[in-house]
mmCIF file of all heavy atoms in Angstrom:
data_model
loop_
_atom_site.group_PDB
_atom_site.id
_atom_site.type_symbol
_atom_site.label_atom_id
_atom_site.label_comp_id
_atom_site.label_asym_id
_atom_site.label_seq_id
_atom_site.Cartn_x
_atom_site.Cartn_y
_atom_site.Cartn_z
ATOM 1 N N GLY A 447 6.679 -5.803 -18.433
ATOM 2 C CA GLY A 447 6.876 -4.689 -17.581
ATOM 3 C C GLY A 447 7.098 -4.999 -16.100
ATOM 4 O O GLY A 447 7.561 -4.245 -15.374
ATOM 5 N N HIS A 448 6.712 -6.297 -15.706
ATOM 6 C CA HIS A 448 6.913 -6.762 -14.323
ATOM 7 C C HIS A 448 6.172 -6.098 -13.232
ATOM 8 O O HIS A 448 6.607 -6.140 -12.045
ATOM 9 C CB HIS A 448 8.377 -6.939 -14.060
ATOM 10 C CG HIS A 448 9.229 -7.516 -15.220
ATOM 11 N ND1 HIS A 448 10.287 -6.871 -15.869
ATOM 12 C CD2 HIS A 448 9.072 -8.768 -15.792
ATOM 13 C CE1 HIS A 448 10.703 -7.700 -16.773
ATOM 14 N NE2 HIS A 448 10.053 -8.827 -16.775
ATOM 15 N N ALA A 449 5.158 -5.294 -13.511
ATOM 16 C CA ALA A 449 4.329 -4.646 -12.468
ATOM 17 C C ALA A 449 3.568 -5.765 -11.807
ATOM 18 O O ALA A 449 3.268 -6.801 -12.337
ATOM 19 C CB ALA A 449 3.368 -3.646 -13.132
ATOM 20 N N SER A 450 3.212 -5.499 -10.540
ATOM 21 C CA SER A 450 2.555 -6.495 -9.770
ATOM 22 C C SER A 450 1.031 -6.229 -9.585
ATOM 23 O O SER A 450 0.644 -5.172 -9.382
ATOM 24 C CB SER A 450 3.205 -6.457 -8.329
ATOM 25 O OG SER A 450 4.511 -6.802 -8.368
ATOM 26 N N PHE A 451 0.313 -7.359 -9.737
ATOM 27 C CA PHE A 451 -1.214 -7.271 -9.632
ATOM 28 C C PHE A 451 -1.694 -8.446 -8.795
ATOM 29 O O PHE A 451 -1.130 -9.522 -8.715
ATOM 30 C CB PHE A 451 -1.885 -7.281 -11.013
ATOM 31 C CG PHE A 451 -1.530 -6.067 -11.841
ATOM 32 C CD1 PHE A 451 -0.372 -6.072 -12.718
ATOM 33 C CD2 PHE A 451 -2.318 -5.022 -11.861
ATOM 34 C CE1 PHE A 451 -0.088 -4.976 -13.438
ATOM 35 C CE2 PHE A 451 -2.062 -3.855 -12.619
ATOM 36 C CZ PHE A 451 -0.905 -3.830 -13.367
ATOM 37 N N PRO A 452 -2.898 -8.240 -8.142
ATOM 38 C CA PRO A 452 -3.353 -9.246 -7.249
ATOM 39 C C PRO A 452 -4.242 -10.247 -7.926
ATOM 40 O O PRO A 452 -4.572 -11.285 -7.327
ATOM 41 C CB PRO A 452 -4.245 -8.454 -6.229
ATOM 42 C CG PRO A 452 -4.635 -7.225 -6.957
ATOM 43 C CD PRO A 452 -3.513 -6.899 -7.886
ATOM 44 N N HIS A 453 -4.649 -10.040 -9.188
ATOM 45 C CA HIS A 453 -5.504 -10.928 -9.936
ATOM 46 C C HIS A 453 -5.130 -10.981 -11.404
ATOM 47 O O HIS A 453 -4.562 -9.964 -11.874
ATOM 48 C CB HIS A 453 -6.975 -10.456 -9.861
ATOM 49 C CG HIS A 453 -7.602 -10.468 -8.438
ATOM 50 N ND1 HIS A 453 -8.055 -11.656 -7.807
ATOM 51 C CD2 HIS A 453 -7.638 -9.545 -7.556
ATOM 52 C CE1 HIS A 453 -8.361 -11.334 -6.610
ATOM 53 N NE2 HIS A 453 -8.167 -10.029 -6.401
ATOM 54 N N PRO A 454 -5.364 -12.127 -12.001
ATOM 55 C CA PRO A 454 -5.072 -12.127 -13.527
ATOM 56 C C PRO A 454 -6.005 -11.308 -14.361
ATOM 57 O O PRO A 454 -7.103 -10.954 -13.865
ATOM 58 C CB PRO A 454 -5.276 -13.701 -13.764
ATOM 59 C CG PRO A 454 -6.261 -14.159 -12.791
ATOM 60 C CD PRO A 454 -5.973 -13.360 -11.565
ATOM 61 N N GLY A 455 -5.585 -11.001 -15.492
ATOM 62 C CA GLY A 455 -6.436 -10.172 -16.342
ATOM 63 C C GLY A 455 -5.611 -9.211 -17.211
ATOM 64 O O GLY A 455 -4.332 -9.285 -17.312
ATOM 65 N N MET A 456 -6.280 -8.166 -17.745
ATOM 66 C CA MET A 456 -5.632 -7.092 -18.474
ATOM 67 C C MET A 456 -5.984 -5.776 -17.822
ATOM 68 O O MET A 456 -7.156 -5.478 -17.652
ATOM 69 C CB MET A 456 -6.095 -7.050 -19.971
ATOM 70 C CG MET A 456 -5.247 -6.185 -20.874
ATOM 71 S SD MET A 456 -5.622 -4.365 -20.767
ATOM 72 C CE MET A 456 -7.186 -4.316 -21.522
ATOM 73 N N PHE A 457 -4.951 -5.006 -17.505
ATOM 74 C CA PHE A 457 -5.161 -3.728 -16.756
ATOM 75 C C PHE A 457 -4.533 -2.656 -17.647
ATOM 76 O O PHE A 457 -3.337 -2.719 -18.057
ATOM 77 C CB PHE A 457 -4.464 -3.796 -15.430
ATOM 78 C CG PHE A 457 -5.065 -4.849 -14.567
ATOM 79 C CD1 PHE A 457 -4.386 -6.070 -14.526
ATOM 80 C CD2 PHE A 457 -6.262 -4.685 -13.843
ATOM 81 C CE1 PHE A 457 -4.933 -7.079 -13.647
ATOM 82 C CE2 PHE A 457 -6.752 -5.723 -13.050
ATOM 83 C CZ PHE A 457 -6.065 -6.886 -12.932
ATOM 84 N N LEU A 458 -5.320 -1.615 -17.910
ATOM 85 C CA LEU A 458 -4.899 -0.557 -18.915
ATOM 86 C C LEU A 458 -4.323 0.617 -18.062
ATOM 87 O O LEU A 458 -4.900 1.100 -17.077
ATOM 88 C CB LEU A 458 -6.044 -0.073 -19.657
ATOM 89 C CG LEU A 458 -5.814 0.962 -20.791
ATOM 90 C CD1 LEU A 458 -4.958 0.307 -21.886
ATOM 91 C CD2 LEU A 458 -7.102 1.504 -21.377
ATOM 92 N N GLN A 459 -3.137 1.090 -18.523
ATOM 93 C CA GLN A 459 -2.525 2.307 -17.919
ATOM 94 C C GLN A 459 -2.502 3.341 -18.959
ATOM 95 O O GLN A 459 -1.830 3.213 -20.044
ATOM 96 C CB GLN A 459 -1.110 1.957 -17.459
ATOM 97 C CG GLN A 459 -1.087 1.012 -16.304
ATOM 98 C CD GLN A 459 0.220 0.691 -15.794
ATOM 99 O OE1 GLN A 459 0.872 -0.310 -16.228
ATOM 100 N NE2 GLN A 459 0.726 1.489 -14.832
ATOM 101 N N GLY A 460 -3.298 4.435 -18.778
ATOM 102 C CA GLY A 460 -3.439 5.511 -19.664
ATOM 103 C C GLY A 460 -4.781 6.089 -19.492
ATOM 104 O O GLY A 460 -5.163 6.480 -18.405
ATOM 105 N N SER A 461 -5.540 6.201 -20.606
ATOM 106 C CA SER A 461 -6.886 6.819 -20.537
ATOM 107 C C SER A 461 -7.971 5.698 -20.660
ATOM 108 O O SER A 461 -8.154 5.151 -21.719
ATOM 109 C CB SER A 461 -7.037 7.842 -21.665
ATOM 110 O OG SER A 461 -8.437 8.264 -21.705
ATOM 111 N N SER A 462 -8.527 5.334 -19.505
ATOM 112 C CA SER A 462 -9.577 4.323 -19.556
ATOM 113 C C SER A 462 -10.843 4.893 -20.230
ATOM 114 O O SER A 462 -11.599 4.089 -20.905
ATOM 115 C CB SER A 462 -9.959 3.889 -18.164
ATOM 116 O OG SER A 462 -10.298 5.006 -17.355
ATOM 117 N N LYS A 463 -11.028 6.130 -20.213
ATOM 118 C CA LYS A 463 -12.171 6.792 -20.909
ATOM 119 C C LYS A 463 -12.157 6.436 -22.409
ATOM 120 O O LYS A 463 -13.220 6.191 -23.052
ATOM 121 C CB LYS A 463 -12.220 8.286 -20.566
ATOM 122 C CG LYS A 463 -13.311 9.000 -21.246
ATOM 123 C CD LYS A 463 -13.297 10.518 -20.990
ATOM 124 C CE LYS A 463 -14.405 11.279 -21.647
ATOM 125 N NZ LYS A 463 -14.386 12.701 -21.390
ATOM 126 N N PHE A 464 -10.987 6.581 -23.024
ATOM 127 C CA PHE A 464 -10.819 6.467 -24.452
ATOM 128 C C PHE A 464 -10.382 5.033 -24.825
ATOM 129 O O PHE A 464 -10.279 4.717 -25.987
ATOM 130 C CB PHE A 464 -9.938 7.486 -25.091
ATOM 131 C CG PHE A 464 -10.483 8.901 -25.012
ATOM 132 C CD1 PHE A 464 -9.987 9.803 -23.967
ATOM 133 C CD2 PHE A 464 -11.403 9.312 -25.906
ATOM 134 C CE1 PHE A 464 -10.513 11.069 -23.911
ATOM 135 C CE2 PHE A 464 -11.863 10.629 -25.823
ATOM 136 C CZ PHE A 464 -11.417 11.496 -24.855
ATOM 137 N N GLY A 465 -10.049 4.287 -23.762
ATOM 138 C CA GLY A 465 -9.549 2.894 -24.031
ATOM 139 C C GLY A 465 -8.168 2.940 -24.681
ATOM 140 O O GLY A 465 -7.794 2.129 -25.521
ATOM 141 N N ILE A 466 -7.316 3.966 -24.354
ATOM 142 C CA ILE A 466 -6.034 4.148 -24.927
ATOM 143 C C ILE A 466 -4.945 4.102 -23.862
ATOM 144 O O ILE A 466 -5.075 4.882 -22.813
ATOM 145 C CB ILE A 466 -5.922 5.489 -25.761
ATOM 146 C CG1 ILE A 466 -6.933 5.383 -26.903
ATOM 147 C CG2 ILE A 466 -4.518 5.747 -26.192
ATOM 148 C CD1 ILE A 466 -7.036 6.741 -27.668
ATOM 149 N N GLY A 467 -3.947 3.302 -24.044
ATOM 150 C CA GLY A 467 -2.869 3.237 -23.133
ATOM 151 C C GLY A 467 -1.956 2.055 -23.286
ATOM 152 O O GLY A 467 -1.974 1.466 -24.352
ATOM 153 N N VAL A 468 -1.294 1.651 -22.215
ATOM 154 C CA VAL A 468 -0.361 0.507 -22.267
ATOM 155 C C VAL A 468 -1.135 -0.694 -21.611
ATOM 156 O O VAL A 468 -1.658 -0.558 -20.504
ATOM 157 C CB VAL A 468 0.976 0.796 -21.452
ATOM 158 C CG1 VAL A 468 1.778 -0.444 -21.376
ATOM 159 C CG2 VAL A 468 1.627 1.991 -22.203
ATOM 160 N N ARG A 469 -1.054 -1.814 -22.258
ATOM 161 C CA ARG A 469 -1.656 -3.070 -21.681
ATOM 162 C C ARG A 469 -0.666 -3.618 -20.598
ATOM 163 O O ARG A 469 0.532 -3.675 -20.796
ATOM 164 C CB ARG A 469 -1.839 -4.108 -22.746
ATOM 165 C CG ARG A 469 -2.946 -3.822 -23.691
ATOM 166 C CD ARG A 469 -2.995 -4.855 -24.803
ATOM 167 N NE ARG A 469 -3.310 -6.224 -24.146
ATOM 168 C CZ ARG A 469 -4.487 -6.814 -24.349
ATOM 169 N NH1 ARG A 469 -5.416 -6.312 -25.077
ATOM 170 N NH2 ARG A 469 -4.676 -7.989 -23.739
ATOM 171 N N ASN A 470 -1.275 -4.007 -19.518
ATOM 172 C CA ASN A 470 -0.598 -4.878 -18.575
ATOM 173 C C ASN A 470 -1.293 -6.207 -18.468
ATOM 174 O O ASN A 470 -2.344 -6.312 -17.925
ATOM 175 C CB ASN A 470 -0.587 -4.202 -17.118
ATOM 176 C CG ASN A 470 0.431 -3.027 -16.967
ATOM 177 O OD1 ASN A 470 1.572 -3.311 -16.615
ATOM 178 N ND2 ASN A 470 -0.097 -1.897 -17.262
ATOM 179 N N ASP A 471 -0.712 -7.177 -19.122
ATOM 180 C CA ASP A 471 -1.255 -8.434 -19.184
ATOM 181 C C ASP A 471 -0.750 -9.452 -18.144
ATOM 182 O O ASP A 471 0.537 -9.534 -18.126
ATOM 183 C CB ASP A 471 -1.089 -9.156 -20.565
ATOM 184 C CG ASP A 471 -1.961 -8.384 -21.640
ATOM 185 O OD1 ASP A 471 -3.128 -8.579 -21.725
ATOM 186 O OD2 ASP A 471 -1.264 -7.614 -22.439
ATOM 187 N N VAL A 472 -1.515 -10.000 -17.337
ATOM 188 C CA VAL A 472 -1.111 -10.925 -16.217
ATOM 189 C C VAL A 472 -1.868 -12.198 -16.285
ATOM 190 O O VAL A 472 -3.093 -12.130 -16.527
ATOM 191 C CB VAL A 472 -1.122 -10.191 -14.863
ATOM 192 C CG1 VAL A 472 -0.127 -9.074 -14.721
ATOM 193 C CG2 VAL A 472 -2.489 -9.761 -14.530
ATOM 194 N N ALA A 473 -1.139 -13.294 -16.062
ATOM 195 C CA ALA A 473 -1.825 -14.639 -16.095
ATOM 196 C C ALA A 473 -0.923 -15.632 -15.315
ATOM 197 O O ALA A 473 0.314 -15.486 -15.194
ATOM 198 C CB ALA A 473 -2.053 -15.100 -17.527
ATOM 199 N N LYS A 474 -1.584 -16.658 -14.895
ATOM 200 C CA LYS A 474 -0.854 -17.696 -14.187
ATOM 201 C C LYS A 474 -0.217 -18.626 -15.219
ATOM 202 O O LYS A 474 -0.676 -18.847 -16.343
ATOM 203 C CB LYS A 474 -1.853 -18.539 -13.360
ATOM 204 C CG LYS A 474 -1.219 -19.527 -12.356
ATOM 205 C CD LYS A 474 -2.195 -20.186 -11.442
ATOM 206 C CE LYS A 474 -2.744 -19.229 -10.364
ATOM 207 N NZ LYS A 474 -3.588 -19.833 -9.366
ATOM 208 N N SER A 475 0.996 -19.122 -14.806
ATOM 209 C CA SER A 475 1.696 -20.008 -15.782
ATOM 210 C C SER A 475 2.640 -20.944 -14.951
ATOM 211 O O SER A 475 2.731 -20.855 -13.743
ATOM 212 C CB SER A 475 2.610 -19.179 -16.784
ATOM 213 O OG SER A 475 3.792 -18.710 -16.124
#
Side-chain angles (χ1 to χ4, degrees):
H448 312 123
S450 299
F451 294 88
H453 296 277
M456 191 283 288
F457 302 95
L458 187 67
Q459 294 181 268
S461 172
S462 56
K463 178 180 179 181
F464 293 101
I466 294 177
V468 175
R469 289 179 63 111
N470 282 276
D471 292 285
V472 293
K474 191 172 288 187
S475 77

